[in-house]
């Protein structure tokens, strides 16, 4: 039994909320905006520093700019080994005896390989292309491609395609919104994503929480997920989709499952997940019907049968040491799309120990998988989607040059909706109305505004990708795919360069 | 009209396609003869058709099914009623592993034994309450992560010196109810379940489902009901609520 501890927590405040009382006009807007109850009004604005998570909601909405949030300088005396994070977690565990939970992506300073890759450009002998004048093609098609194409003449003597193509999804931009469940994020986030995906000709992904019927009108642009808990999965759900994804793993939490605590399962979530209000939604890592590639194949084909072979079936896995062999098995099991999620990917909630220490960087996983599938002559049989902390258009361009067909963005999409990466998503108190189900908070995100911000982000990335293509002297994203010659590594060791299949900077073609 | 299909040597995709097209054209009853391991029969079928299967169907029978009634005059294999939404399946034999995975509605009646991991992640939502009644005994992980629904296990024909289910019974269970006609030992139970004595309401529920089971398979209700039942329920709907430091 746990010993009753003193009611005073020993955990020091991480941040300090500074209020400039000369500027403050006592409108109390900060009090209303702080969903973590870190600000009260007692004669004047009075912060409780310990509760502040640095989400910056109060500061953003203070009409007098009277609030600043600072790190608490002496919360933990400086020490490069016993970092503040480690000491804070020790205290939390001493007080609760529990697993340290966290949200969003891995914050540890592992090398970010994207930032050690540079892109080629044309000079003198091969002209670059001006994207302002010339058409630039960002279109791409997801789905299994045949080994070869056969043609025949129709009755009028015209040539037509004889080969029956597997179902394909047309993307106008090779950037897809990541799987984020309704439950982890609010309904308004889902709606923003669905509207934006529809407008921009790309896709959103339900995650493992089912699909709210409000989103059925956008179903042509929605990937629906089938995870181990099978929440909200039924034949209408499968039918109302652009593709069906079997979730095996997630980059932020490879090898572990999801868990939506009962207190977040309210009326609407209970409806989409099809479970009673207030019960835990446990979705453990293993699908209890999948213990082998053959079992996976069985589920892939059950889904293909259930959708009459009209939808591509995707399999999502986390980037792990043996990812290339696993991906090869998945393609041979009949998947049309393989999504690989790297260890810097975000999440609504996961044990910090998993997020920060398990898995491998997406750059290495992607390169290894693409190479393996090429070596085995099956790269055409499935599209490759790259996920796990794609932060900017440059990451997309580099991923495509390393072999990805498309990239997935989760955190970037949420940041465009207001997320300040305070990493408290698991508390359900998100002040920006994103990772929360509290109605007074979810109202803060207007889906029309949200979808416009997402569209703007993708439009901007689209322009940037076109600029990159132009500088490379190619006019379509297809021409960049798998073009590792057009990348060079800076400051990477030989082994890493070998896995990436990229030469060091300074070496010519 | 009844459509009879001789499935001897037939590829499962051709068989299922033929059934799907016939359903679209209004066919309501099927008799499938010489079934021998064809997978995915009845998957995601929406209409209330009747399918009689003579022979042993392959894995994932009735996955994502929503409405049909299927009767199998032989054994079944693995993955029956995977994520099934509604409908009825009657199997005049034994079945394999992972039966009723994530099932959230409809009924599954099995004459004989069931394999491992039966009823995993079974759920319920409002009036949709799935039911699995099996006549024989079960393997390990019966009712694991069960979140809703009703499972009845009769243990008929099981050897007297062995419990009627395997180990890890109801591990992670956080909803639904399991009725066993027989005893289990403490070490077989998941930490998340409690063994209770069925009350009057439980007995009414058990009688209702067992009556139906007896009608399907020709057993005497009084004889089946003459042995006592036990009831397994989750201790908490939040079994892992205290696992985390916030
Ligand atoms: S938690 Fe957010 S809103 Fe509250 S005081 Fe801190 S920064 Fe401001
Ligand atoms: S989604 Fe909300 S709670 Fe999560 S990191 Fe972003 S702002 Fe913080």
């Amino acid at each position: 039994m746990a010993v009753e501890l003193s009611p005073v927590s020993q955990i020091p405040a991480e941040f300090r909320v500074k209020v400039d009382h000369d500027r403050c006009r006592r409108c109390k807007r900060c009090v209303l905006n702080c969903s973590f109850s870190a600000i009260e009004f007692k004669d004047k604005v009075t912060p409780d520093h310990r509760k502040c998570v640095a989400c910056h909601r109060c500061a953003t909405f203070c009409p007098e700019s009277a609030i600043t949030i600072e790190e608490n300088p002496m919360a933990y005396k400086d020490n490069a080994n016993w970092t503040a994070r480690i000491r804070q977690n020790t205290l939390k565990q001493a007080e609760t005896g529990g697993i340290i939970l966290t949200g969003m992506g891995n914050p540890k300073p592992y090398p970010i390989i994207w930032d050690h890759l540079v892109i080629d450009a044309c000079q003198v002998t091969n002209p670059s292309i001006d994207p302002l004048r010339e058409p630039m093609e960002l279109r791409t098609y997801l789905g299994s491609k045949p080994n070869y194409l056969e043609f025949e003449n129709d009755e009028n003597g015209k040539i037509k395609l004889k080969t029956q193509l597997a179902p394909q999804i047309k993307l106008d931009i090779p950037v897809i919104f990541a799987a984020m469940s309704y439950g982890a994020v609010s309904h308004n986030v889902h709606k923003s994503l669905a509207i934006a995906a529809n407008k921009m000709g790309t896709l959103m992904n339900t995650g493992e929480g089912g699909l709210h019927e409000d989103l059925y009108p956008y179903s042509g642009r929605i990937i629906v997920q089938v995870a181990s808990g099978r929440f909200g999965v039924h034949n209408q759900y499968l039918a109302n989709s652009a593709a069906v994804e079997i979730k095996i793993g997630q980059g932020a939490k490879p090898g572990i499952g999801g868990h939506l605590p009962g207190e977040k399962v309210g009326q609407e979530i209970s409806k989409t997940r099809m479970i009673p209000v207030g019960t835990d939604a446990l979705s453990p890592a293993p699908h209890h019907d999948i213990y082998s590639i053959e079992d996976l194949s069985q589920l892939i084909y059950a889904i293909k049968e259930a959708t009459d072979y009209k939808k591509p079936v995707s399999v999502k896995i986390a980037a792990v040491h043996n990812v290339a062999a696993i991906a090869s098995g998945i393609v041979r099991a009949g998947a049309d799309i393989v999504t690989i999620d790297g260890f810097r990917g975000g999440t609504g909630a996961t044990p910090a120990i998993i997020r920060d220490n398990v898995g491998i960087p997406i750059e290495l996983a992607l390169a290894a998988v693409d190479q393996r599938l090429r070596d085995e002559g099956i790269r055409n049989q499935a599209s490759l989607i790259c996920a796990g902390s794609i932060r900017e258009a440059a990451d997309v361009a580099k991923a495509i040059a390393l072999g990805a067909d498309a990239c997935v963005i989760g955190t970037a999409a949420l940041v465009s909706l207001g997320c300040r990466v305070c990493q408290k998503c698991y508390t359900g108190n998100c002040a920006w109305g994103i990772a929360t189900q509290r109605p007074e908070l979810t109202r803060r995100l207007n889906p029309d505004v949200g979808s416009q911000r997402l569209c703007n982000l993708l439009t901007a990335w689209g322009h940037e990708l076109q600029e990159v293509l132009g500088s490379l002297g190619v006019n379509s994203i297809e021409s960049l795919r798998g073009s590792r010659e057009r990348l060079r590594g800076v400051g990477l060791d030989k082994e890493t360069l070998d896995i990436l299949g990229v030469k060091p900077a300074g070496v010519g073609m | 009209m009844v459509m009879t299909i001789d499935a001897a040597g037939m590829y499962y995709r051709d068989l299922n396609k033929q059934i799907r097209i016939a359903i679209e054209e209004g066919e309501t009853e099927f008799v499938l003869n010489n079934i021998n391991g064809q997978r995915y029969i009845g998957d995601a079928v929406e209409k209330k058709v009747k399918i009689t299967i003579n022979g042993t169907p392959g894995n994932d029978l009735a996955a994502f099914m929503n409405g049909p009634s299927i009767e199998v005059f032989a054994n079944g294999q693995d993955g029956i009623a995977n994520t099934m939404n509604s409908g009825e399946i009657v199997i005049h034999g034994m079945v394999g592993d992972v039966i009723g995975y994530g099932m959230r509605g409809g009924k599954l009646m099995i004459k004989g034994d069931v394999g491992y991991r039966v009823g995993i992640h079974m759920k319920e939502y409002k009036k949709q309450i799935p039911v699995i009644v099996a006549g024989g005994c079960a393997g390990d992980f019966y009712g694991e992560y069960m979140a809703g629904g009703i499972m009845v296990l009769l243990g008929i024909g099981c050897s007297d010196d062995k419990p009627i289910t395997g180990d890890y019974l109801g591990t992670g269970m956080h909803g639904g109810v399991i009725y066993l006609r027989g005893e289990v030992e403490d070490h077989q139970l998941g930490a998340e379940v409690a063994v209770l004595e069925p009350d009057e309401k439980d007995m009414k529920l058990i009688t209702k489902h067992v009556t139906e089971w007896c009608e399907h398979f020709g057993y005497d209700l009084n004889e089946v009901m003459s042995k006592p039942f036990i009831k397994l329920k989750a201790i908490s709907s939040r079994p892992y609520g205290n696992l985390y430091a916030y």
Side-chain angles (χ1 to χ4, degrees):
Chain A
M1 270 318 278
V3 181
E4 194 67 30
L5 297 179
S6 131
V8 178
S9 169
Q10 287 189 25
I11 303 172
E14 248 184 294
F15 306 103
R16 294 193 73 80
V17 185
K18 286 212 168 156
V19 184
D20 182 342
H21 291 289
D22 294 335
R23 300 184 76 158
C24 173
R25 64 159 114 126
R26 303 177 175 222
C27 68
K28 299 184 199 165
R29 204 181 280 184
C30 54
V31 180
L32 293 174
N33 267 290
C34 181
S35 54
F36 292 89
S37 312
I39 314 182
E40 267 183 291
F41 194 84
K42 299 179 195 156
D43 303 325
K44 58 180 187 192
V45 171
T46 314
D48 178 349
H49 304 297
R50 281 173 195 257
K51 290 187 181 157
C52 176
V53 303
C55 73
H56 289 139
R57 181 81 193 184
C58 56
T60 307
F61 282 85
C62 173
E64 299 296 340
S65 301
I67 299 182
T68 43
I69 311 295
E70 291 173 355
E71 263 177 300
N72 185 359
M74 280 307 287
Y76 303 91
K77 184 172 171 284
D78 188 34
N79 188 315
N81 188 30
W82 288 93
T83 58
R85 182 185 61 82
I86 288 178
R87 276 177 283 169
Q88 188 184 36
N89 288 349
T90 308
L91 289 171
K92 273 193 191 173
Q93 295 192 309
E95 291 183 8
T96 64
I99 295 170
I100 300 287
L101 266 193
T102 185
M104 291 323 235
N106 183 343
K108 280 193 168 180
Y110 292 100
I112 296 165
I113 297 172
W114 299 131
D115 294 341
H116 293 268
L117 289 172
V118 287
I119 302 170
D120 189 25
C122 298
Q123 303 294 308
V124 189
T125 52
N126 51 340
S128 46
I129 302 175
D130 178 1
L132 299 177
R133 282 196 301 119
E134 306 282 344
M136 283 285 169
E137 184 73 66
L138 294 183
R139 184 165 297 167
T140 192
Y141 289 86
L142 296 181
S144 179
K145 311 291 187 291
N147 292 339
Y148 51 86
L149 292 175
E150 275 189 296
F151 297 90
E152 61 185 359
N153 291 325
D154 67 6
E155 44 297 355
N156 305 322
K158 276 204 175 148
I159 294 175
K160 64 171 205 185
L161 188 63
K162 189 177 165 201
T163 311
Q164 256 213 320
L165 288 181
Q168 304 284 323
I169 305 172
K170 186 177 116 187
L171 296 182
D172 291 335
I173 179 167
V175 183
I176 299 171
F177 298 129
M180 294 181 274
S181 73
Y182 175 40
V185 295
S186 70
H187 184 53
N188 283 346
V189 172
H190 256 204
K191 209 158 170 197
S192 304
L193 291 166
I195 296 171
N198 205 41
K199 273 199 196 147
M200 298 301 294
T202 184
L203 297 165
M204 76 165 287
N205 187 319
T206 58
E208 56 185 324
L211 179 65
H212 197 282
E213 54 194 25
D214 285 3
L215 302 188
Y216 278 24
Y218 308 100
S219 60
R221 288 285 160 198
I222 298 181
I223 301 177
V224 299
Q225 229 183 40
V226 174
S228 68
R230 304 288 153 86
F231 294 110
V233 180
H234 51 90
N235 39 350
Q236 278 310 312
Y237 171 80
L238 298 178
N240 275 295
S241 69
V244 182
E245 179 165 274
I246 300 170
K247 179 203 163 173
I248 300 290
Q250 184 182 339
K253 37 182 168 181
I256 73 160
H259 176 186
L260 188 72
E263 61 258 6
K264 289 190 190 162
V265 182
Q267 276 304 334
E268 289 297 303
I269 288 187
S270 115
K271 201 161 103 192
T272 68
R273 297 209 174 202
M274 303 166 99
I275 49 170
V277 172
T279 47
D280 274 5
L282 298 174
S283 127
H287 289 243
H288 291 110
D289 55 348
I290 302 179
Y291 286 83
S292 65
I293 287 290
E294 165 59 20
D295 287 348
L296 174 65
S297 182
Q298 185 181 311
L299 183 59
I300 291 174
Y301 280 93
I303 289 169
K304 289 191 179 192
E305 279 284 331
T307 53
D308 204 8
Y309 296 86
K310 286 186 184 130
K311 320 255 172 186
V313 175
S314 158
V315 174
K316 175 179 168 181
I317 50 168
V320 291
H321 302 339
N322 201 23
V323 67
I326 296 162
S328 157
I330 291 171
V331 175
R332 290 169 193 282
D336 303 285
I337 301 168
V338 182
T339 300
I340 313 164
D341 197 12
F343 89 145
R344 280 192 308 267
T347 177
T350 184
I353 187 170
I354 301 285
R355 183 195 66 181
D356 298 347
N357 301 286
V358 180
I360 68 172
I362 184 58
E363 300 92 325
L364 300 172
L366 170 65
V369 168
D370 179 67
Q371 193 55 50
R372 172 91 176 228
L373 299 183
R374 279 174 200 283
D375 292 347
E376 294 182 359
I378 55 172
R379 176 64 185 85
N380 61 305
Q381 286 178 25
S383 295
L384 268 188
I385 297 182
C386 166
S389 196
I390 299 289
R391 304 154 302 164
E392 50 179 350
D395 294 352
V396 176
K398 292 169 189 176
I400 286 175
L402 278 184
D405 288 274
C407 289
V408 159
I409 57 166
T411 307
L414 297 188
V415 169
S416 82
L417 293 178
C419 163
R420 298 301 162 103
V421 199
C422 72
Q423 304 189 298
K424 297 291 175 204
C425 324
Y426 61 94
T427 63
N429 292 327
C430 177
W432 293 86
I434 295 168
T436 176
Q437 304 303 326
R438 284 169 53 185
E440 75 279 16
L441 299 179
T442 59
R443 268 203 300 272
R444 292 178 178 182
L445 179 71
N446 175 328
D448 293 324
V449 176
S451 60
Q452 191 54 52
R453 296 180 71 96
L454 289 163
C455 287
N456 287 347
L457 179 75
L458 288 189
T459 304
W461 284 26
H463 288 315
E464 290 182 336
L465 287 172
Q466 290 176 343
E467 292 286 349
V468 170
L469 293 179
S471 81
L472 282 160
V474 298
N475 60 6
S476 79
I477 207 91
E478 302 274 347
S479 311
L480 177 60
R481 176 152 315 119
S483 219
R484 298 184 195 193
E485 257 311 329
R486 311 301 302 269
L487 294 175
R488 286 293 181 272
V490 178
L492 294 171
D493 58 57
K494 186 171 177 313
E495 285 78 12
T496 305
L497 287 168
D498 282 349
I499 298 165
L500 293 170
V502 168
K503 292 175 189 153
V507 178
M509 288 287 173
Chain B
M1 269 291 289
V2 182
M3 183 171 184
T4 307
I5 301 174
D6 181 1
M10 215 170 167
Y11 183 40
Y12 76 85
R13 275 180 73 167
D14 298 331
L15 172 68
N16 293 328
K17 195 167 170 193
Q18 197 177 334
I19 297 171
R20 258 201 308 273
I21 291 171
I23 291 173
E24 259 168 52
E25 287 167 354
E27 188 58 73
T28 54
E29 212 177 320
F30 296 85
V31 177
L32 313 180
N33 291 325
N34 296 313
I35 290 289
N36 188 6
Q38 282 91 345
R39 291 182 175 190
Y40 312 121
I41 298 171
D43 280 20
V45 172
E46 286 268 356
K47 299 261 170 61
K48 286 202 180 317
V49 298
K50 187 169 183 307
I51 305 175
T52 304
I53 297 178
N54 295 312
T56 300
N59 290 356
D60 270 347
L61 172 77
F64 310 110
M65 189 173 89
N66 189 25
S69 62
I70 296 183
E71 190 156 9
V72 178
F73 290 95
N75 293 331
Q77 294 190 352
D78 300 339
I80 300 168
N82 187 346
T83 324
M84 170 172 148
N85 215 43
S86 75
E88 196 182 296
I89 305 169
V90 177
I91 297 180
H92 293 263
M94 304 190 290
V95 296
D97 301 338
V98 224
I99 308 304
Y101 183 172
M103 180 178 169
R104 63 164 57 81
K107 209 177 285 172
L108 187 45
M109 296 268 162
I110 298 147
K111 184 179 177 189
D113 297 343
V114 295
Y116 293 85
R117 290 173 269 145
V118 171
I120 286 195
H121 291 288
M122 236 164 103
K123 308 191 189 326
E124 65 185 53
Y125 178 63
K126 296 203 164 150
K127 283 193 181 137
Q128 245 183 305
I129 299 175
V131 180
I132 302 180
V133 188
C137 29
D140 294 344
F141 305 105
Y142 187 78
E144 195 187 26
Y145 287 118
M146 189 173 175
I150 301 166
M151 295 220 280
V152 186
L153 187 68
L154 301 175
I156 295 169
C158 303
S159 83
D160 284 339
D161 53 352
K162 261 187 26 207
I164 68 170
T165 81
D167 294 339
Y168 311 103
L169 177 54
T171 309
M173 184 172 171
H174 53 293
V177 60
I178 296 175
Y179 300 111
L180 302 176
R181 183 176 163 272
E183 293 294 320
V184 283
E185 289 165 35
D186 273 355
H187 72 84
Q188 293 181 275
L189 291 173
E192 297 80 8
V193 284
V195 178
L196 307 165
E197 207 174 302
D199 60 20
E200 214 174 292
K201 246 173 80 190
D202 294 316
M203 286 319 293
K204 254 175 93 177
L205 204 62
I206 295 172
T207 312
K208 181 181 146 211
H209 294 303
V210 173
T211 307
E212 205 178 307
W213 184 88
C214 287
E215 279 164 9
H216 283 300
F217 305 117
Y219 279 80
D220 178 56
L221 176 67
N222 291 329
E223 208 181 302
V224 177
M225 294 302 294
S226 65
K227 222 177 139 184
F229 283 81
I230 58 167
K231 171 185 179 178
L232 259 56
K233 260 201 106 84
I235 291 165
S236 146
S237 67
R238 306 265 346 258
Y240 304 117
N242 288 328
L243 195 59
Y244 304 107
Y246 287 93

